[in-house]
Amino acid sequence: MKRVFGRWMPVVASLTMICTLLTGCGFEYNSETETETADVSQNGQFIVVGIAQVGSESDWRTTNTKSYATTFTEENGYHLLFEDGQQEQENQVKAVREFILQGVDYIVIDPVVETGWESVLEEARDAGIPVILVDRQISTDDESLYTCFVGSDFTLEGQRAGEWLENYLSDRNMNEDEINIVTLQGTLESSAQLGRTEGFAKISRYHDNWNMLDAKSGEFTQAKGYEVMAEFLDLYPDIDVVVCENDNMAFGAIEAIEDAGKELGPNGDMIIISFDAIKAGMEEVMKGNIAVDFECNPLLGPEVDAIIQKLEKGEKIGKVTYVSETYYDFTMDLENIVNKRIY
Ligand code: AHR
């Protein structure tokens, strides 16, 4: 387990850096759910944005938070109130209620799970505050509860992962082989988990020889990814494919597989399919430990900024905007792309 802590160090360092960054630019950061009431309007000088973030479970999330912190600065005309929900919807709902009380101009929510948002969104709508959903979506029949969504199409990501596996097996004349698959799922009921699971299932349904042995949540964290993968390795002696619904769980899975003395990669015992394609994930692709990594773009600050600027001018915006994303696999020459990757 030594390397688990080794891999955590950059996360801790990044979080420390982000907190320093946040407090240094007129940004109110709360990792607790208590928000200090302040003169957030600053006499109308700034556009006040309240962000209810999911938490800090992954490297992807760290980059995502940093993207907001560097976008919503006073230099750019914003005053940012930031709440870390610590993976609890209750904390996020409380944060949104406080943003409403503080009379912010815009509320940005990255919903930890899809359901249970109606009441608080009705309160925001009644207060006349536009709500922008980012990264993850909500499940509701009432689209008037939010202004718009910007983020990833998780179902498409999962579907592409399934299609990639189809091609990979076909290239090796393994279409008819029995393929044993386990899945390390993200936070259950989050749209990232639901979409990726459903997207992959859309393809796996066509293949009777794909044995979906097991699926369990690793909560998008490296430590839990290690734990769940170690459990799977004990239970199933012949795993061919590990689907990790984010890179941090893949890092944990890689360690568990190495500790079990198994070999990773197309010529080894099993392959890993992952999501996020953060720099460290792509480095694992280059090493052959992750066979393919499906990109999930965390740089959503500028996307939200563009939406707010349009709303400020009274311009029309789309209800749903999906950011463009690609994938990287072991057959590609990734060195240049990885060197240029900023997250
Ligand atoms: O919602 C996006 C997902 O959440 C990312 O894949 C994951 O790394 C994060 O924690």
Side-chain angles (χ1 to χ4, degrees):
M1 288 292 284
K2 205 167 73 198
R3 284 178 55 207
V4 170
F5 295 104
R7 285 193 201 265
W8 275 107
M9 286 313 289
V11 178
V12 174
S14 307
L15 282 174
T16 311
M17 189 190 73
I18 286 169
C19 291
T20 311
L21 188 66
L22 299 186
T23 46
C25 56
F27 179 106
E28 294 174 34
Y29 175 84
N30 281 286
S31 60
E32 304 298 323
T33 50
E34 289 302 313
T35 305
E36 280 171 36
T37 309
D39 174 19
V40 291
S41 74
Q42 312 252 329
N43 296 321
Q45 203 188 341
F46 299 113
I47 298 171
V48 182
V49 177
I51 298 186
Q53 175 62 291
V54 166
S56 51
E57 72 283 4
S58 63
D59 293 337
W60 186 98
R61 187 67 56 201
T62 304
T63 303
N64 179 241
T65 294
K66 198 169 151 193
S67 174
Y68 300 132
T70 51
T71 302
F72 297 109
T73 60
E74 294 191 349
E75 246 178 13
N76 290 341
Y78 290 102
H79 183 81
L80 179 55
L81 302 175
F82 182 90
E83 287 282 344
D84 178 338
Q86 300 180 36
Q87 307 300 317
E88 299 293 336
Q89 183 179 36
E90 198 188 335
N91 293 341
Q92 290 195 294
V93 168
K94 192 173 174 203
V96 172
R97 293 212 161 103
E98 287 176 7
F99 294 151
I100 296 170
L101 280 177
Q102 289 171 301
V104 301
D105 298 308
Y106 295 91
I107 293 174
V108 176
I109 308 175
D110 190 326
V112 61
V113 289
E114 286 201 347
T115 55
W117 292 97
E118 273 82 358
S119 308
V120 75
L121 291 184
E122 274 167 24
E123 290 165 38
R125 186 179 58 192
D126 293 348
I129 304 174
V131 171
I132 300 168
L133 302 178
V134 285
D135 169 33
R136 300 179 183 176
Q137 305 207 40
I138 62 165
S139 159
T140 178
D141 293 332
D142 184 356
E143 286 203 338
S144 73
L145 287 174
Y146 61 93
T147 305
C148 62
F149 162 81
V150 60
S152 302
D153 185 338
F154 296 117
T155 308
L156 187 63
E157 288 178 5
Q159 190 174 327
R160 282 183 178 156
E163 287 163 353
W164 181 90
L165 184 59
E166 273 181 336
N167 291 329
Y168 170 85
L169 295 172
S170 151
D171 286 350
R172 281 166 177 67
N173 296 320
M174 290 167 72
N175 321 43
E176 306 299 325
D177 292 8
E178 292 296 313
I179 305 295
N180 293 330
I181 304 174
V182 292
T183 307
L184 274 68
Q185 294 175 301
T187 304
L188 296 179
E189 304 303 321
S190 67
S191 52
Q193 178 271 311
L194 292 168
R196 287 169 184 164
T197 301
E198 173 53 24
F200 192 83
K202 274 188 181 180
I203 305 301
S204 67
R205 275 184 210 120
Y206 292 111
H207 300 281
D208 291 342
N209 58 321
W210 291 16
N211 306 316
M212 304 303 290
L213 294 181
D214 213 335
K216 194 170 175 186
S217 177
E219 293 164 16
F220 285 130
T221 71
Q222 185 167 334
K224 197 78 185 156
Y226 181 96
E227 199 182 303
V228 174
M229 190 64 222
E231 216 177 289
F232 284 163
L233 287 163
D234 277 349
L235 287 170
Y236 310 104
D238 192 16
I239 297 169
D240 300 302
V241 179
V242 184
V243 179
C244 295
E245 289 183 343
N246 87 339
D247 276 348
N248 282 86
M249 292 192 296
F251 302 152
I254 291 168
E255 289 171 24
I257 292 163
E258 286 173 355
D259 287 355
K262 302 255 183 195
E263 245 184 74
L264 269 165
N267 300 319
D269 299 301
M270 64 191 88
I271 59 163
I272 290 182
I273 294 175
S274 186
F275 296 86
D276 280 357
I278 57 166
K279 191 172 184 146
M282 289 171 66
E283 282 164 355
E284 295 298 337
V285 177
M286 288 172 73
K287 287 185 214 159
N289 288 333
I290 293 177
V292 60
D293 209 343
F294 287 83
E295 188 177 45
C296 180
N297 187 348
L299 305 178
L300 298 176
E303 305 284 339
V304 179
D305 172 39
I307 289 170
I308 291 177
Q309 292 307 322
K310 281 190 179 169
L311 291 170
E312 286 289 301
K313 289 183 201 137
E315 289 175 17
K316 278 205 165 169
I317 46 152
K319 194 73 182 173
V320 173
T321 306
Y322 291 122
V323 289
S324 85
E325 294 171 336
T326 183
Y327 73 91
Y328 304 97
D329 75 15
F330 71 95
T331 65
M332 299 171 178
D333 182 1
L334 298 177
E335 201 168 329
N336 282 337
I337 306 170
V338 170
N339 287 343
K340 284 188 202 137
R341 198 95 169 153
I342 56 163
Y343 58 88

